[in-house]
Amino acid sequence: MDKMSTLEYINQMFPTEASLSGVEPLMQKIQSEIRRVDAGILAAVRQQSNSGTKAKEDLAAATHAVEELTYKIREIKTKAEQSEMMVQEICRDIKKLDFAKKHITTTITALHRLTMLVSAVEQLQIMASKRQYKEAAAQLEAVNQLCSHFEAYRDIPKITELREKFKSIKQILKSHVFSDFSSLGTGKESEETNLLQHLSDACLVVDALEPSVREELVNNFCSRELTSYEQIFEGAELAKLDKTERRYAWIKRRMRTNEEIWKIFPTSWLVPYRLCIQFCKKTRKQLEGILDNMKEKPDVATLLMALQRTLEFEDELAEKFGGGTQSREIGNEIEEIGRQNNSQSASDIRKKYEKKLAAHQGSENEEKDGNKDLSAPGAGFNFHGIISSCFEPHLIVYIELEEKTLMENLEKLVQEETWDVEEGSQNNVLSSSMQLFLIIKRSLKRCSALTKSQTLYNLFKVFQRVLKAYATKLFGRLPKGGTGIVAAATGMDGQIKTSDRDERVICYIVNSAEYCHKTSGELAESVSKIIHSQFADRVDMSEVQDEFSAVITKSLVTLVHGLETKFDAEMAAMTRVPWGTLESVGDQSGYVNGINMILSSSIPVLGSLLSPIYFQFFLDKLASSVGPRFYMNIFKCKQISETGAQQMLLDTQAVKTILLEIPSLGRQTSGAAGYSKFVSREMSKAEALLKVCDKKSGQLLFYQVMAIYHNTPLLLIISQVILSPVDSVADTYRALLPEGTPMEFQRILELKGLKKSDQQSILDDFNKGSPAISQPSSAAPVGQSMAPAPPASTVPAISNPASAGFIASREDVLTRAAALGRGAATTGFKRFLALTEAAKDRKDGPFRKLFNA
């Protein structure tokens, strides 16, 4: 064992004292084992010694065998060389004979082919002279094959002579074939019955000749066929735009009449295809000349008729000859414009963009096809645009007519618009907006059927102008504020008066502008799919959509302003209430009922007509307007007594409740949480302002507690200023509000109920700015200040981070409020507590418990 311990082994063998009796037998056994191992080692050493001697003998024997093998190989190689020399000597004469036989065979074959070539050339010459085209075509093939065998013998005079003779024969055949084809189309084919068959055989000869001969023959034939066309339509009578249709009738009639005759040409020559290409080239050139030489603008109807007939002819050619046919899915793309599709699945979106990508790739392929050689057989040339593209620079008159028509239709639609929607309508959209897009779709269909290039892009720009004009029409239909001297004199300048019908119309305008915003985007997407790729990136409706977005925003703001104008009478009624002489607190005031009636009559209609997102926008605007306006209206009220403040606070709670119920009233509560929070924040300012109008210190402590709870520290400062004595109010205001303005100070004096004469003296003192008044030190202890302070019993110290030393901490306020307890309740303050929202909403709250009797 690797890690065997001798001591452990002995302890294991003799664990006890009694086991020591076996030591002697174990020693004998170990000695016997040692002797046996020694004997084995000795035998192994002897055996190894014998093996080393034998290995040396084997190595010596192997070395000797290798030497013998090397000698034998050398001897065999020498004998092989001798044998090779012997075989070469024997076969020397046989090799000479083999070469001679090969040369003789090659010579005989060449002479035989030469004989055949001479004979074939002579026969071809005879056939050419006799115009035996069918036989000559076969003979030409044979001569061409024979000549290929003599390419290596070009320098031999006889071969050169035969090649020149063959070349001259081919030239003779070419001249004969061209001469015979010149009679085609002259009427001789009806007189000579065998002429067509003769010319058909001549086509075989042309195929056997060089490819250039075939190209030349086809071009000559097409030019000869179109010579009469040029003569006819270059004349003064037919060289007019309104005669364009007769051009296409001529070529179709020509192809139909000569269809049987032209069957003599092999189909691989594509003679009708080449003829049509040359016809299109010549027609385009002539039409360009007619359009450029016009002294006046062309008649739109004539121009469009000529273009329409040209497009139809190009479609017929594309269908007849294949290759480059257009996929006309334009109608489906246009029909998708304006459809009500509010939700799209992911698969629909994926299919739409896959379709768009395929269309883009297809347009790239069309461009590549257009760059192919027009005369190449089977090039798959795209006939679309080969003639019609010459009309493109002259279609500006068509665009002008379309724009004029669209603008006239727009004016007519706006004039005939009832500004109302039939009952049961799902989208509450004005009929003029839907009709306008129907007219635009028809215009797009007409133009896309004619062209998809610059003209279509120009028409798209027209669509932009028309839609912007419609947005202007919608904008102009919105109610306007009062203007002029009378409106300014009556205080109505800028105010917007809206009736119930006006509110419905504004909602219809919002929905129509939203519909136009969405549909104009769909229109741009459809045009980008239809138009050529070089214009697709320039198709954009963002400016138009911005116009309609502005209409939506202005419409909703107008709704808010209209409601604000309706509130004017109620706000004026609020200021006419004698707040300073009220003797008791009753039910909510009449102006609150008026506000409730206004909102109850308008909001349900607006909620049913506006979409949730725009109704929420309207609510936010309304809350941001009504809350601050109500707050500012409190300052317009003159002297407010304690009872008046309690009544106004009750009215404020009622107005707040009415505003919070607007989402439910409009049956749209999706975004009510944020709206409610906003209303509560705005109306809490008015509530807090009213709570500082009491003149008792105990009551003030409660208002301060409420103000801390509502996180409005500024109102605490205002409350101290209001409750400070008249002789020190200016100093208190300057110390607590160092950045305050004289106007704000005057408002506080009005809330204190001071007369104008008393206010003037205090304002003069405030404006002088006594030097004895200074800002309190930040290190001043709580309850002390560097400025003269009113008595503590009248103006309790309240802490605020903005003015340390004047305002006590939150804990101090709560402690003092609890200490006042019953004393505050004896002034009728407990009854006022019952009217506040804090007591109503927090029946078991800490502030209610502070003032329980």
Coordinates of all heavy atoms in Angstrom, one line a residue, residues 144 185 219 272 279 301 319 326 345 364 372 376 402 456 502 514 567 580 759 764 766 815 837:
N144 N -20.8 26.2 -93.7 CA -20.3 26.8 -92.4 C -19.6 25.8 -91.6 O -18.5 26.1 -91.0 CB -21.5 27.4 -91.6 CG -21.9 28.7 -92.2 OD1 -21.1 29.5 -92.7 ND2 -23.2 29.0 -92.1
G185 N -45.8 43.6 -99.0 CA -46.7 44.7 -98.7 C -47.0 45.6 -99.8 O -47.7 46.6 -99.7
N219 N -35.3 45.6 -89.2 CA -35.4 47.0 -89.1 C -35.9 47.7 -90.4 O -36.7 48.6 -90.4 CB -34.1 47.6 -88.7 CG -33.7 47.2 -87.2 OD1 -34.6 47.0 -86.4 ND2 -32.4 47.2 -86.9
P272 N -43.7 41.6 -85.0 CA -44.8 42.6 -84.5 C -44.3 43.4 -83.3 O -44.6 44.5 -83.1 CB -46.0 41.7 -84.2 CG -45.7 40.4 -85.0 CD -44.3 40.3 -85.0
F279 N -43.0 51.9 -83.8 CA -44.2 52.8 -83.9 C -44.4 53.7 -82.7 O -44.7 54.9 -82.8 CB -45.5 51.9 -84.0 CG -46.8 52.6 -83.9 CD1 -47.3 53.3 -85.0 CD2 -47.5 52.7 -82.7 CE1 -48.5 54.0 -84.9 CE2 -48.7 53.4 -82.6 CZ -49.2 54.0 -83.7
A301 N -59.9 68.7 -72.1 CA -60.7 67.5 -72.5 C -60.0 66.8 -73.7 O -59.9 65.6 -73.6 CB -62.1 68.0 -73.0
E319 N -50.3 43.8 -72.6 CA -51.0 42.5 -72.5 C -50.7 41.6 -73.6 O -50.6 40.4 -73.4 CB -52.5 42.8 -72.4 CG -53.4 41.6 -72.2 CD -54.9 41.9 -72.1 OE1 -55.2 43.1 -72.2 OE2 -55.7 41.0 -71.9
Q326 N -48.5 46.1 -65.6 CA -48.7 46.8 -64.3 C -49.7 46.1 -63.5 O -50.7 45.6 -64.1 CB -49.1 48.3 -64.5 CG -47.9 49.2 -64.9 CD -48.3 50.6 -64.8 OE1 -49.5 50.9 -65.0 NE2 -47.3 51.5 -64.6
S345 N -55.2 44.8 -36.0 CA -54.4 43.8 -35.4 C -53.0 43.8 -35.9 O -52.7 44.5 -36.9 CB -55.0 42.4 -35.8 OG -54.9 42.2 -37.1
E364 N -38.7 49.2 -58.2 CA -37.3 49.2 -58.6 C -37.1 48.2 -59.7 O -36.3 48.5 -60.6 CB -36.5 48.7 -57.4 CG -36.4 49.7 -56.2 CD -35.6 49.2 -55.1 OE1 -35.2 48.0 -55.1 OE2 -35.4 50.0 -54.1
K372 N -33.6 48.3 -70.1 CA -33.2 47.2 -71.0 C -33.2 47.8 -72.5 O -33.9 48.7 -72.8 CB -34.1 46.0 -70.9 CG -33.9 45.3 -69.6 CD -34.8 44.1 -69.6 CE -34.7 43.3 -68.2 NZ -35.5 42.1 -68.2
A376 N -34.0 44.4 -78.1 CA -33.6 43.1 -77.8 C -34.8 42.1 -77.7 O -35.7 42.4 -77.0 CB -32.8 43.1 -76.5
E402 N -58.4 70.7 -62.1 CA -58.8 69.9 -60.9 C -58.8 70.8 -59.7 O -59.8 70.6 -58.8 CB -57.8 68.7 -60.7 CG -57.9 67.6 -61.6 CD -59.1 66.7 -61.2 OE1 -59.8 66.9 -60.2 OE2 -59.4 65.7 -62.0
L456 N -49.2 63.5 -60.6 CA -49.9 63.0 -59.4 C -49.4 63.7 -58.2 O -50.1 64.0 -57.3 CB -49.7 61.5 -59.3 CG -50.3 60.8 -58.1 CD1 -51.8 61.1 -58.1 CD2 -50.1 59.3 -58.1
D502 N -74.9 76.5 -31.0 CA -73.5 76.8 -31.3 C -72.6 75.7 -30.7 O -71.6 75.3 -31.2 CB -73.1 78.1 -30.7 CG -73.8 79.3 -31.6 OD1 -74.1 79.0 -32.7 OD2 -74.0 80.4 -31.0
E514 N -61.2 66.1 -36.5 CA -60.6 64.8 -36.2 C -60.6 63.8 -37.3 O -59.7 63.1 -37.6 CB -61.2 64.2 -34.9 CG -60.6 62.9 -34.4 CD -61.3 62.3 -33.3 OE1 -62.4 62.8 -32.9 OE2 -60.8 61.3 -32.7
F567 N -71.3 82.2 -17.7 CA -71.1 82.4 -16.2 C -71.1 83.9 -15.8 O -71.1 84.2 -14.6 CB -69.9 81.7 -15.8 CG -69.9 80.2 -15.8 CD1 -68.8 79.5 -16.0 CD2 -71.1 79.6 -15.8 CE1 -68.8 78.1 -16.0 CE2 -71.2 78.2 -15.8 CZ -70.0 77.5 -16.0
G580 N -71.6 91.7 3.4 CA -71.2 92.4 4.7 C -72.4 92.5 5.6 O -72.2 92.8 6.8
Q759 N -58.4 103.6 3.6 CA -57.4 102.8 2.8 C -56.3 103.7 2.2 O -55.1 103.3 2.2 CB -58.1 102.1 1.6 CG -59.0 101.0 2.0 CD -59.7 100.3 0.8 OE1 -59.2 100.4 -0.3 NE2 -60.8 99.6 1.1
D764 N -50.7 105.1 1.7 CA -49.6 106.1 1.6 C -48.5 105.7 2.6 O -47.3 105.8 2.3 CB -50.1 107.5 2.0 CG -51.1 108.0 1.0 OD1 -51.0 107.5 -0.2 OD2 -51.9 108.9 1.3
F766 N -47.8 102.6 3.5 CA -47.2 101.4 3.0 C -46.2 101.8 1.9 O -45.1 101.3 1.8 CB -48.3 100.5 2.4 CG -47.7 99.3 1.7 CD1 -47.2 98.2 2.4 CD2 -47.6 99.2 0.3 CE1 -46.7 97.1 1.8 CE2 -47.1 98.2 -0.3 CZ -46.6 97.1 0.4
T815 N -51.4 72.7 19.0 CA -51.5 72.8 20.4 C -52.4 73.9 20.9 O -53.3 73.8 21.7 CB -50.1 72.9 21.0 OG1 -49.3 71.8 20.6 CG2 -50.2 72.9 22.5
E837 N -66.0 71.6 4.3 CA -65.8 70.3 3.7 C -64.9 69.4 4.6 O -65.1 68.1 4.6 CB -65.1 70.4 2.3 CG -64.8 69.1 1.6 CD -63.9 69.3 0.4 OE1 -63.3 70.3 0.3 OE2 -63.9 68.4 -0.4

